[in-house]
Amino acid sequence: MEKLLSAQPDQESGVFCTYCVDSPVPAVRSCLLCEVSLCDKHLRVHKKSPEHVLCDPTLSMESRKCSVHKKILEYYCTEDETCICVSCCLIGEHKGHEMESMDEASEKKRKKMRNVLQTKIEEMEEIVQSLQDHRREVEEKATSDTERVTALFRVLRRRLKDLEKRVLREISGRAERISISIRDLEIKKEELSRKMRHLEELCNVTDPLTVLQESDTGDLCDTEDGDNEDRERHEELLHDGGGLDVAGIIHTGLSDIITEVNVIFHIQEAADILMDVNTVHNYLHISDDRKTVYWSDIDQNHPETPERFQDYPQVLSSQSFSSGRHYWEVDVGESDRWRVGMCYPSIDRSGDWSFIGNNGKSWCLYREGDQYGVRYRHKPIPYLGNICSNRFRICLEYEAGRISFYDLGDPIHPLHTFTTTFTEPLHVGLYVYGGCIKICGGNQKM
C-alpha cells in the first residue's frame, strides 16, 4: 500500500505542484530541501540532484524539520525515541546517543507493528476457534437438553393430567358418596314405611296372642345401633366444611411432581463412583472398571486388609462425600437379595453390626425375595408399593441431612427419605448375594 501510494498522485490531499502556475496539477512528491511540491514533469528534473530530500506531498514541511536547528529530520535517536537532524547528532543534546537512519528505524517499527498485529491476529484466531469449539459443544448439549426437556414435559403433562383426574374424582366422589347415603336412607325409609303400615294393621287386631306372636315386630325395637350409625354419617356429611380441600390435594400433587422434576433433571456431572477393592468381601468380585460387583460362590482370597468386610458380601466406594448434593444410580438386574445405600467409614467390618442398615452408621434400600424396604439401626421399614424397575437412584443432600431413594420406573417415584445430621463423610455401600449390582452413570452433583 505504501509503494502504491508513493507512485500515485494524491488527488485528495490538496497539494499541488509549486511550478505549475497556469493550472493546478497535483503534486506527487515534495522536496524538503527546497520546500516545494512537484508534479511528475518537474520531479524528473528536480530529483537529478542527490542532495534533495523527497517525501510524500505535504503542505506542512516545517513538521519535517528540526524545531531547534531548522534542518531536515534524517535520523532517529533510539535512546530518546525521537526524530532528529544532523546537527542534533553532532552538537545537540543527542550527541553521543545511539541513532539510526529514519528508513532503518521506520522499517524496524513496521516490523514490530507487524509482529504485534500478527500476534493479536493469532490470539484472536485462537479465541474464535475456542468459541467455535464451545459453540459445537453447546449445540450438542442443546440437542441433549432439548430431548431431556421434551421428555420431561411429556412426563409433566401426563402427571398433571393424572392429578387433574384425581382431583375431579375426589370432587365428584364426594357428591356421589352423599347420593349413596341418600339412596341407602331412602331404602331404609321405605322399609320403615312398610313396617309402619303393617304395625297399624296389627294395632287393629283384638286378639293379644296374635299380637304377641307376630314375628315381624321384633326387630323394630332393635334398630338403635343402626340409627346411631345413620346419624353419625349424616352429621359427618353435613359438617365436612361444605367443600373438598381441593387446594390441599393440588398442592400435595404438585409437590410430588416438583420432587420428580428435581430427580429427573440434573445438569452438572462429577467423577464416576468406583468400588474400593480393599473393602470387598472374599465372596464378591469387582469388574475391571470397578463399577460392577458380582456375587461368587468361590472364595476370591482377596489380600487381608483392615478395611475388608469379613462376614457379609459387601463393598464400599473409594470416594466419600462430606458436602454438597449428589446422586448415583444402580441396576440390580434380576438379583432378589441386595442392599444399596450410604455408610460412614467407621462402620464395623465384621459381626452383625457390620451389615448395611443394621446399625446407626448406614442407611439402605433393600430387597429380600419379594419384600422391598429401607433399613436404619436394624429397623426395617417395608415398602408395600409397586416397584416398577430394577434401577434405583440414591440422592444425598449432605448439609440438609437427607438420603432419598427413588424407583426409576416410568414414571419415576420416590420410595423413602431418611433425615438426620451427618457426622462423618459418606461412602456408597453395596450388599449383593446371588447376583450383581452395577453402578450406572457415576456420581453426579445436583
Side-chain angles (χ1 to χ4, degrees), residues 30 40 94 107 109 155 191 290 337 382 443:
S30 293
D40 262 330
H94 299 281
E107 182 58 33
K109 186 173 183 179
V155 171
E191 180 66 18
R290 294 163 58 194
R337 192 172 177 184
N443 164 62

Side-chain angles (χ1 to χ4, degrees), residues 1-13 15 26-30 38-40 43 55-58:
M1 182 63 73
E2 290 169 350
K3 291 180 180 179
L4 178 64
L5 290 176
S6 66
Q8 298 292 330
D10 190 350
Q11 302 290 345
E12 302 296 332
S13 66
V15 180
V28 294
R29 304 291 280 172
S30 293
L38 308 162
C39 65
D40 262 330
L43 179 62
C55 68
D56 293 335
T58 179

Side-chain angles (χ1 to χ4, degrees), residues 3-60:
K3 291 180 180 179
L4 178 64
L5 290 176
S6 66
Q8 298 292 330
D10 190 350
Q11 302 290 345
E12 302 296 332
S13 66
V15 180
F16 299 97
C17 180
T18 305
Y19 298 110
C20 295
V21 294
D22 294 335
S23 61
V25 177
V28 294
R29 304 291 280 172
S30 293
C31 179
L32 299 179
L33 179 64
C34 304
E35 298 187 0
V36 295
S37 297
L38 308 162
C39 65
D40 262 330
K41 175 182 176 182
H42 292 101
L43 179 62
R44 285 194 294 271
V45 177
H46 195 88
K47 68 180 180 181
K48 291 181 179 178
S49 301
E51 68 272 13
H52 295 285
V53 180
L54 300 176
C55 68
D56 293 335
T58 179
L59 294 174
S60 56

Side-chain angles (χ1 to χ4, degrees), residues 18-156:
T18 305
Y19 298 110
C20 295
V21 294
D22 294 335
S23 61
V25 177
V28 294
R29 304 291 280 172
S30 293
C31 179
L32 299 179
L33 179 64
C34 304
E35 298 187 0
V36 295
S37 297
L38 308 162
C39 65
D40 262 330
K41 175 182 176 182
H42 292 101
L43 179 62
R44 285 194 294 271
V45 177
H46 195 88
K47 68 180 180 181
K48 291 181 179 178
S49 301
E51 68 272 13
H52 295 285
V53 180
L54 300 176
C55 68
D56 293 335
T58 179
L59 294 174
S60 56
M61 296 187 188
E62 287 299 320
S63 65
R64 311 280 301 204
K65 293 184 178 182
C66 176
S67 60
V68 177
H69 305 103
K70 304 302 179 183
K71 293 185 178 181
I72 299 171
L73 299 173
E74 300 180 75
Y75 300 97
Y76 181 77
C77 177
T78 57
E79 293 186 24
D80 297 326
E81 297 182 347
T82 185
C83 296
I84 58 177
C85 68
V86 64
S87 296
C88 293
C89 300
L90 298 176
I91 59 176
E93 60 183 11
H94 299 281
K95 182 179 179 181
H97 290 184
E98 184 178 347
M99 61 194 65
E100 299 171 343
S101 68
M102 290 182 62
D103 290 339
E104 183 182 0
S106 63
E107 182 58 33
K108 286 184 178 180
K109 186 173 183 179
R110 290 190 190 96
K111 185 176 181 180
K112 181 179 179 180
M113 289 189 295
R114 287 192 197 98
N115 292 336
V116 170
L117 289 175
Q118 184 63 34
T119 301
K120 290 186 176 296
I121 290 173
E122 291 174 356
E123 291 176 353
M124 194 63 64
E125 288 176 347
E126 290 180 1
I127 294 173
V128 170
Q129 184 62 45
S130 65
L131 287 176
Q132 289 174 342
D133 294 340
H134 183 60
R135 181 183 63 185
R136 283 192 292 271
E137 293 175 359
V138 169
E139 289 173 347
E140 292 173 359
K141 193 173 187 303
T143 301
S144 174
D145 286 346
T146 299
E147 294 174 354
R148 294 173 67 192
V149 169
T150 301
L152 174 63
F153 276 89
R154 186 165 56 247
V155 171
L156 290 178

Side-chain angles (χ1 to χ4, degrees), residues 356-420:
I356 296 174
N358 281 17
N359 48 67
K361 298 184 178 183
S362 59
W363 301 256
C364 75
L365 173 71
Y366 73 88
R367 179 182 181 183
E368 293 180 2
D370 295 331
Q371 180 69 55
Y372 292 88
V374 292
R375 278 180 175 268
Y376 174 61
R377 290 189 179 276
H378 214 306
K379 297 177 180 178
I381 304 174
Y383 180 75
L384 303 179
N386 183 30
I387 300 295
C388 302
S389 72
N390 293 325
R391 187 159 172 161
F392 301 90
R393 176 172 292 170
I394 297 87
C395 297
L396 168 65
E397 299 172 82
Y398 194 91
E399 285 78 8
R402 285 194 291 267
I403 298 177
S404 303
F405 299 90
Y406 296 86
D407 177 10
L408 297 184
D410 187 13
I412 294 174
H413 63 276
L415 300 176
H416 187 81
T417 296
F418 289 107
T419 302
T420 185

Side-chain angles (χ1 to χ4, degrees), residues 273 275 314-317 319 321 328 330 332 338-344 347 356-357 361-366 374-375 392-396 403-405 418 426-431 437 439:
I273 288 179
M275 294 296 102
Q314 300 179 154
V315 62
L316 298 184
S317 67
Q319 295 94 329
F321 308 101
W328 53 283
V330 293
V332 297
W338 47 261
R339 296 186 181 189
V340 296
M342 308 295 292
C343 307
Y344 286 152
I347 185 174
I356 296 174
K361 298 184 178 183
S362 59
W363 301 256
C364 75
L365 173 71
Y366 73 88
V374 292
R375 278 180 175 268
F392 301 90
R393 176 172 292 170
I394 297 87
C395 297
L396 168 65
I403 298 177
S404 303
F405 299 90
F418 289 107
L426 286 163
H427 292 255
V428 172
L430 303 178
Y431 160 85
I437 296 179
I439 303 292

